[in-house]
Structures are given as structure tokens and as C-alpha cells.
Amino acid sequence: MQAMERQAVAADLSSIDEQEQSVIISWALALGSPSLEERQGLITAPLRQILSWVSRRRKIPIATIIRIAVQLAGEVHRYLHVPQVRAAARSAVAESIRRARPQVVLAHSLGSVVAYEALHAHPELTVDCLVTLGSPLGLPSGIFDHLVPAPIADRGARPAGVRYWVNLADTGDLVAIPHRLGDRFPVDQHADTSIGRIDFHTFGAYLASPLTAVAISPFVHSSSIPDQIA
């Protein structure tokens, strides 16, 4: 069983291309928060060694780290670097918002990147509240530096049609890196929530969080701006 797992892991890492590898390195470094000396050594290290370092730093099995890294890199690369995929995803989100005219948009994981860009591309679309859940929007190099519109002075802009922006991140979410989008985006409210060690990133787990209900409730029942969530 262990031999099979090692073979599967090796195949996963060997199958990724150069752009996907750069996403994994950016994610791993942001996740591990290395010192300057460690960063200099890790940037040139083999990918397996970098992920092993994250595994030890986070006390999470290496197989879990590699699985998340490979999946994240593949999805990010496909969206950001395959133009027809990016255009189709943004158009689909924009059309859904145009058709449904929701007061609240819940955008999870990489979907938050798609929603962010779609709302920017269609400023005529308005929503009372954008709620980003487990969002990797601020991931240095891997995502943040490739956003459209491009960040200015290391800051992303709020889409013109978004009235209010709430960001929720599970404290153990390995995809929502960095957790606090407010450092790079004009987020109105941020809250850390504890979903659990197993379901730390799933959309269903975020939906079940009481903080999600608190965030959207004022906009579902009225047009008022909510008090700070905690």
C-alpha cells in the first residue's frame, strides 16, 4: 500500500508542467511562511523537497499536501493560462448573475477568482454583497499577479458593482492563502471560522458555517449594511 502511494505521488508530481510548478512553489512558500534564508534555499529545491518541508511545518501528511498542491495547480493553470477557459468561465458567471440578479453572490475557492474577474469585466452587474469563501485571490505570484484587472501598487480593486464585500476563511484552510484578503483588497469585513480538520475547504462546510449565515442575512432580508461579524 505504501509503495503504491509513493508511486502515485511521484506520478502526480512528474506530470505537472513548468507553469503549474510555479503555482505550487508560490502556494507552498506562502503556506509555509519561510524565513528569508529558508526561502532562498527552497526556491531552487526539488518540488518534492519543498512540499515535504511544508508537510513537516504544518504537521500534515505529505500525501495530503501533494494532492492539494497538484489539484490547485492544475485548476489555477487551466483558468489563468488557457484563454478560452478563462473567457468561458467569466462569461458563464456573468450570465448567471445577469439572469438571476442576486442580492448576494457566494464565491468559493477558485470560483472567487472567476467571480472577481467577471464582475470587473461587467461593471453593469450589481450585487449588494460579495461573499468570498476559502478564497486564494491574494496568493502571491500564483494568482494575485495574474488577475485582470492587474493590481495597482500591490492592491486589487473592488468590482464597480459590488456594494459590500465579506471574506470568510477557515483557520486551517490550505487553499485560502493568505486568509486575510483585506491586506490586498478593499474587503469590508473578514472573519476566521473553524470548519474542521477534514472539511476545511469544501463549499458545503462553508455554507454550514454560522458566519456565512450572519454575513448574508442582512442582504437577504433588507438592504442594510450589517454590523461587524465576529
Side-chain angles (χ1 to χ4, degrees):
M1 181 68 176
Q2 290 180 342
M4 291 177 62
E5 182 182 73
R6 284 196 298 271
Q7 291 173 3
V9 166
D12 283 341
L13 288 179
S14 65
S15 67
I16 65 173
D17 63 24
E18 187 174 334
Q19 286 183 315
E20 290 173 327
Q21 181 168 324
S22 68
V23 172
I24 290 178
I25 292 173
S26 298
W27 171 76
L29 293 178
L31 189 64
S33 301
S35 65
L36 179 60
E37 183 178 350
E38 286 177 315
R39 174 178 287 271
Q40 291 172 340
L42 287 168
I43 286 176
T44 57
L47 197 58
R48 171 72 188 222
Q49 182 178 326
I50 296 173
L51 296 179
S52 294
W53 174 81
V54 173
S55 172
R56 294 192 301 272
R57 192 75 168 252
R58 287 278 177 152
K59 296 184 170 76
I60 295 173
I62 181 62
T64 300
I65 293 292
I66 291 177
R67 175 179 56 80
I68 294 173
V70 170
Q71 181 176 346
L72 176 65
E75 292 177 354
V76 168
H77 173 265
R78 183 168 169 76
Y79 176 72
L80 292 180
H81 302 291
V82 182
Q84 61 269 34
V85 171
R86 193 174 197 167
R90 283 169 41 169
S91 294
V93 169
E95 181 55 33
S96 293
I97 295 173
R98 181 178 291 108
R99 184 175 61 253
R101 300 175 63 185
Q103 291 176 282
V104 177
V105 170
L106 297 174
H108 172 249
S109 192
L110 186 59
S112 66
V113 180
V114 182
Y116 175 85
E117 292 195 337
L119 288 166
H120 267 297
H122 297 273
E124 75 281 4
L125 298 177
T126 60
V127 294
D128 288 340
C129 184
L130 170 65
V131 182
T132 46
L133 306 169
S135 174
L137 261 169
L139 180 64
S141 301
I143 293 178
F144 183 76
D145 295 341
H146 298 284
L147 291 174
V148 177
I152 298 175
D154 212 32
R155 292 282 296 177
R158 182 203 299 266
V162 174
R163 180 185 178 205
Y164 203 74
W165 186 347
V166 177
N167 182 63
L168 303 179
D170 180 78
T171 52
D173 195 332
L174 301 182
V175 176
I177 302 296
H179 287 172
R180 301 192 68 86
L181 291 184
D183 294 339
R184 290 192 160 189
F185 297 90
V187 172
D188 295 293
Q189 292 190 42
H190 170 86
D192 293 321
T193 183
S194 181
I195 291 176
R197 191 167 178 81
I198 297 177
D199 282 342
F200 57 77
H201 184 66
T202 65
F203 186 43
Y206 272 106
L207 285 181
S209 170
L211 286 183
T212 303
V214 171
I216 68 176
S217 180
F219 298 96
V220 172
H221 300 296
S222 73
S223 60
S224 62
I225 298 295
D227 295 331
Q228 292 290 311
I229 55 179

